[in-house]
Amino acid sequence: MMLNKFFKLFLLALLSAAPALSWRKSNDDCPAYGCPLLPEEFVDIQEKLRLLHDGVNDDEGVQELLNHSTKNEGGAVLTLMGYKGGKIEDQINQDRAVLIDPYLQKKSARFLGVFDGHAERGEVVSEFARKEMPRILGEKLERVKKWMVGSDISTWYPKDQVKAALTQTFLDVHRSIPTNGQGGATASVMLQLGSNVFFANVGDSRSFLVIAQPNKVAIVYKTREDKPHLPDERKRIEEAGGLVSIPRGDEDDSSRVVKIDPKKGTTFGLAMSRSIGDWDMGEVGVIASPLVDTVDLKEAMRAFQTEEECVPSEEDPDSCVVDLDQAEKIDTENTVVFAVSATDGITDYLDPEEIAKHIAPIMLKPDSSHLLVRCGGLIFAAADGWKKDMEGTYRDDITIAVSKLSWE
C-alpha cells in the first residue's frame, strides 16, 4: 500500500529538521464545556514521537506526551504548516483544529473540528471559530436539553433542536468575527451526543464517520465539499448576482465564486460556496449556513453488520437509518467507531477511504503503535504529494483531527 511507504518514510524523517506537525493540550484552566486538545509545533515533539514509535515509553518526555494527549486514548490532533512562498519565518499556519473529550462534562459527548483560514487575516477567523464555536454551541445545547432520564444522553437533546443549535452557532460565529468581515475560514465539525452524531460543514474541509472491524473498514457518512459548481450552490450564487468560474482541462483546480468590484476594478475568487467570514462574498451568494446531518450510531453499526447502506428516512431526510428487521446483533467487541475531520491540505491528496484504512488498525489494536505517529504518516504522505506537484513552490497547511467514539 502506498501509504505504508510514506508511513515508513515519515518515521525516518522524525529526527530531521521538520515543519510544524504537532499537538497540544490546553494548559490553561479548562472552559466550562471541557478541555481542548490543540495543535502545537512538531519541532517540540518530534524526538518524543520517534521514541514512542520505538516503544520507549519510560522516557520522561514521552510520558509527558502520553499524559497530555491520551486521556482519551483514541484522540489526536496534528498540523503541518504550509509554504506559500517567501521566507520560512514569514509563513503563517491558518489551519486550526480541536478535540474536546469529554464535551459538556459528559462522558459520551465529544466535539471535533477543523477550521481552515484563507485570505488576509484568515488565521484570525479560524482561531476565533475554533475558540467560540464549542462555547456558543454548548450554551445553546444546555438551553434545549430536556429532562434527563437514564444514562443515554442522546435522549436528552431533541435532534431537530440540536441541528438548529448547530446552524445558529455557525451563523453567530460568522456575524461576530473580529476582523470586520475580512478573511474567512472553513468549518467542519462533529458533535457526538450519546448514540447520535451530528456533522456540520461549510467550505471544503471534510469530516467523516468510520466503522471498522479487523477485516472490514467502511465510511458510513462523509460531509461534502461546498463547491460553487454544485447545482444548488450555483443556482443560489447566480441568483444573487455572482459568477461561477469552472476551470477547463485542469481537474485539480477548483470552481470559484467570482466577485467583481466595479469601483476598484478588482476581481476576487473564492474556491468555496459557503464559509465563515468573507462578508463581501455574501453579496454574491456565499453563505455561512452549514449543511447539518445526523447519524444514529446504533443503526449505522447494524447497517455495517449487514452491509446495508444507510439511507435517509421519510420523517427526517438528514438522518441515516437502516431496516432494523434485517440487522444482526452488533459485534461490539471487535468493532470500533471513529470520526475524522481534515482540511483540504490532506484531502486534496488522500481520499477519506485511504485515511480511514490507515487509521483503523491503530484504533482496533492500540498497542500496535500510537495514533499520533500514525496520523503523522498521513500528513507526511500529503506533504509529499504537494512537493511533487508544486515542486516545492507551494504547500497548503495540512491538518487532521481524529477521535474514537463510544457511548453508554
Side-chain angles (χ1 to χ4, degrees):
M1 182 179 178
M2 185 61 70
L3 272 176
N4 288 333
K5 170 188 173 183
F6 286 119
F7 183 54
K8 293 176 182 178
L9 290 173
F10 164 72
L11 297 175
L12 293 174
L14 281 174
L15 288 178
S16 64
L21 173 64
S22 59
W23 66 266
R24 180 168 65 88
K25 186 105 177 191
S26 171
N27 291 321
D28 301 326
D29 292 336
C30 293
Y33 55 75
C35 297
L37 185 65
L38 307 173
E40 188 179 15
E41 297 302 322
F42 174 61
V43 292
D44 295 335
I45 64 166
Q46 56 181 339
E47 171 65 7
K48 299 173 188 177
L49 281 178
R50 186 190 67 81
L51 292 172
L52 184 59
H53 173 264
D54 292 343
V56 182
N57 294 329
D58 55 354
D59 177 82
E60 182 178 350
V62 171
Q63 282 300 311
E64 179 185 2
L65 175 67
L66 292 173
N67 289 339
H68 283 81
S69 68
T70 57
K71 289 184 178 180
N72 166 33
E73 295 182 355
V77 185
L78 300 173
T79 189
L80 176 67
M81 183 173 67
Y83 176 75
K84 289 90 174 179
K87 298 179 180 179
I88 296 296
E89 57 268 27
D90 294 335
Q91 303 304 306
I92 298 174
N93 190 341
Q94 295 187 304
D95 278 4
R96 297 293 186 271
V98 65
L99 165 61
I100 304 171
D101 179 9
Y103 182 52
L104 303 178
Q105 309 303 322
K106 296 174 176 60
K107 184 177 180 181
S108 55
R110 295 169 180 84
F111 182 94
L112 180 77
V114 294
F115 311 88
D116 181 356
H118 54 257
E120 187 175 353
R121 305 197 72 190
E123 71 279 4
V124 178
V125 178
S126 58
E127 176 68 7
F128 182 79
R130 192 279 301 167
K131 285 183 176 180
E132 290 299 296
M133 196 164 285
R135 180 188 67 81
I136 294 172
L137 177 62
E139 292 174 354
K140 293 183 184 299
L141 291 177
E142 287 303 301
R143 289 197 290 268
V144 305
K145 183 169 60 178
K146 298 193 304 182
W147 182 256
M148 298 175 290
V149 178
S151 61
D152 183 3
I153 67 171
S154 63
T155 64
W156 301 0
Y157 301 90
K159 286 198 291 185
D160 58 339
Q161 294 186 43
V162 174
K163 292 165 68 175
L166 275 163
T167 296
Q168 193 58 51
T169 296
F170 273 59
L171 294 175
D172 288 352
V173 171
H174 169 72
R175 292 165 182 157
S176 56
I177 60 171
T179 61
N180 197 30
Q182 187 178 17
T186 70
S188 189
V189 306
M190 181 281 306
L191 167 69
Q192 181 190 8
L193 295 172
S195 60
N196 289 331
V197 181
F198 301 83
F199 291 89
N201 189 88
V202 296
D204 54 9
S205 296
R206 303 195 75 176
S207 295
F208 49 95
L209 182 68
V210 183
I211 302 180
Q213 290 178 344
N215 298 313
K216 181 181 178 183
V217 179
I219 293 179
V220 297
Y221 174 84
K222 55 187 173 184
T223 61
R224 77 170 190 184
E225 293 180 299
D226 293 322
K227 290 297 185 179
H229 68 272
L230 297 174
D232 57 333
E233 303 296 278
R234 184 172 186 174
K235 181 176 183 293
R236 184 188 66 249
I237 292 164
E238 291 180 342
E239 287 179 348
L243 302 175
V244 174
S245 173
I246 301 177
R248 296 181 180 179
D250 187 354
E251 295 181 355
D252 295 329
D253 198 3
S254 171
S255 58
R256 295 177 183 274
V257 183
V258 178
K259 182 179 185 292
I260 301 174
D261 188 332
K263 294 182 179 179
K264 298 180 180 180
T266 57
T267 301
F268 182 76
L270 183 65
M272 61 195 73
S273 55
R274 300 177 187 231
S275 72
I276 302 293
D278 298 307
W279 287 358
D280 287 348
M281 299 302 289
E283 299 173 3
V284 290
V286 176
I287 61 176
S289 297
L291 295 179
V292 183
D293 289 327
T294 313
V295 178
D296 184 309
L297 284 179
K298 295 176 182 178
E299 293 179 347
M301 288 185 71
R302 291 189 177 98
F304 175 82
Q305 290 280 108
T306 59
E307 298 187 352
E308 291 187 15
E309 183 180 359
C310 288
V311 297
S313 69
E314 294 181 1
E315 294 78 13
D316 186 356
D318 292 327
S319 293
C320 171
V321 300
V322 68
D323 184 358
L324 299 183
D325 292 335
Q326 303 299 319
E328 300 174 356
K329 183 179 179 181
I330 301 172
D331 180 11
T332 55
E333 292 185 3
N334 297 303
T335 306
V336 66
V337 183
F338 60 94
V340 178
S341 294
T343 61
D344 65 340
I346 189 169
T347 58
D348 278 354
Y349 287 92
L350 302 174
D351 61 39
E353 287 74 19
E354 289 179 285
I355 295 171
K357 289 178 181 178
H358 191 70
I359 293 174
I362 187 63
M363 290 294 196
L364 287 162
K365 191 178 180 183
D367 294 339
S368 64
S369 181
H370 193 283
L371 183 57
L372 286 167
V373 180
R374 200 76 181 176
C375 289
L378 290 167
I379 290 183
F380 192 82
D384 187 75
W386 282 103
K387 181 179 179 180
K388 288 179 178 177
D389 279 358
M390 305 304 293
E391 298 180 345
T393 61
Y394 180 88
R395 184 184 68 236
D396 200 1
D397 303 321
I398 303 172
T399 300
I400 185 170
V402 183
S403 179
K404 183 183 290 186
L405 307 186
S406 60
W407 68 96
E408 297 177 351

